[in-house]
Amino acid sequence: METFLNFLDHGNFDNIRDSIINSFNAMKTAGPMDVIDILIVAYIIYRLMKLLKDTSAARLAKGVIWLLLIFLVATLAGLNTISFILRNSLGLGVTAAIVIFQPELRRLLEQLGKGNFSSLLVSANDPAAVEAAINATVKACSDMSKSKTGVLIVFERKERLGEIVSTGTVMDAEPSPELLKNIFFKNSPLHDGALIMREGRICAAGCVLPLSGNQNLSRDLGTRHRAAVGMSESSDSVLVVVSEETGAISVAIGGMLKRHLSPEVLRKVLEAELITDDKPDKKGIAALRNIWKGGAGK
């Protein structure tokens, strides 16, 4: 500790040195309640970071952190021009954060308004609900594959799709094969859009997805398949597609599209991607990799 403080003495780090000394002095006099206070604050910060991580705004947050690090380095190194520019730019940071993170802040306030404090501190993802959604999806897709009914289902994972949900009709329903088949029935007003699954429940239907600009996709792919690939390119979602022309079942993940899947293979892929396990089955992972050999559009 003394060696580190001596190093700070020889540089222009007076403020940092004083802060470190004050922190160590405070730790020496800390009591049990201070420790509990620190642990509570640390856990709240952790849950807020995890809440941010589970949204599409996580990339923007990383960019803000990088700007702060650059500002700190520029200040310590004496780069006055860069420091001046960043200091004045970061002055608008609060307003920019409110605009950028508006969907996440709205979700947080909605949870607080509903009194769902536990969902903010503990993950609400229920494996049993996800498994039930998978069973309903596999059964419905198997039936709609035979009748050549077009299907596009998005399973949301860590990245929240608030912008996509807002383009469709918001729902909150427990999925069942009958309900899924009614939504995608050709005379239904929602059959042309995508259905969003969130935490094992139907979140929205009739949503508009971005189309993929990948020129290597097969020319015989329709709008549903290109939308599925496009959504998988811009998020970590898992998408299930049933072709209206051929009835073939496909899955898109990470910009890759695997076509002509049987209901049994569809179930294995969804379970491997959506149901986490503390002890992953290595054989299952190897089987999944074999399934995905071939690349996009093949």
Side-chain angles (χ1 to χ4, degrees), residues 36-52 108 117 120-121:
I36 294 175
D37 186 24
I38 293 173
L39 291 176
I40 292 175
V41 172
Y43 183 73
I44 292 175
I45 293 175
Y46 165 75
R47 293 306 307 182
L48 290 175
M49 292 176 63
K50 193 173 188 303
L51 181 66
L52 179 62
L108 175 63
F117 300 99
L120 298 176
L121 299 178

Side-chain angles (χ1 to χ4, degrees), residues 5 31 83 89 112 169 197 221 227 233 247 255 270 282 298:
L5 293 178
S83 299
S89 299
L112 292 175
T169 301
M197 287 277 195
L221 293 179
E233 290 172 343
L270 293 180
K282 295 182 179 180
K298 294 184 180 180

